[in-house]
Amino acid sequence: MSVRPDAAVWAEVSRSALLVNNRVLRRLAGSSRLIPVVKAGGYGLGAAWVVRMLKPKAVAVMVPSEGTELRDLGYRGEILLLSPASLSGLKEAVEGRMTPSVSTSSQV
């Protein structure tokens, strides 16, 4: 997949390399759980195609809006939030059945 917003800057992602890397990492992880981190708007590529290709049981995103985007596209697996959510973000996380991260006692 390639996105070229202008001639000076572009991103190219190899679908075949993504699948090979996923297989290698799963083999190395053994019985450990592998959760791909997907960036919903990363470089304009979006995360949906990665999720469709890898078919993971769980993914991780940075903020609730990224998880909501995946839910809106039909993703039913577990979504882990890597950054603490604001109060309004927690509401979105709960409604979207996402697992928030907690790193301080005040966030609890």
Side-chain angles (χ1 to χ4, degrees), residues 85-100:
S86 64
L87 211 46
S88 62
L90 281 175
K91 182 177 189 265
E92 184 176 5
V94 169
E95 289 172 353
R97 300 175 330 279
M98 300 173 215
T99 303

Side-chain angles (χ1 to χ4, degrees), residues 33 35 56-60 71 75-80 97 99:
R33 191 168 173 201
I35 300 176
K57 293 179 182 177
V59 297
R71 290 285 187 235
Y75 181 69
R76 303 260 184 255
E78 182 180 351
I79 297 176
L80 173 66
R97 300 175 330 279
T99 303

Side-chain angles (χ1 to χ4, degrees), residues 21-65:
N21 290 345
N22 185 58
R23 278 194 300 273
V24 169
L25 288 171
R26 287 198 181 284
R27 187 171 51 249
L28 291 172
S31 62
S32 298
R33 191 168 173 201
L34 188 65
I35 300 176
V37 178
V38 295
K39 178 74 176 124
Y43 303 106
L45 296 170
W49 72 276
V50 174
V51 172
R52 281 193 295 269
M53 284 183 57
L54 299 181
K55 297 175 180 57
K57 293 179 182 177
V59 297
V61 298
M62 288 304 294
V63 294
S65 61

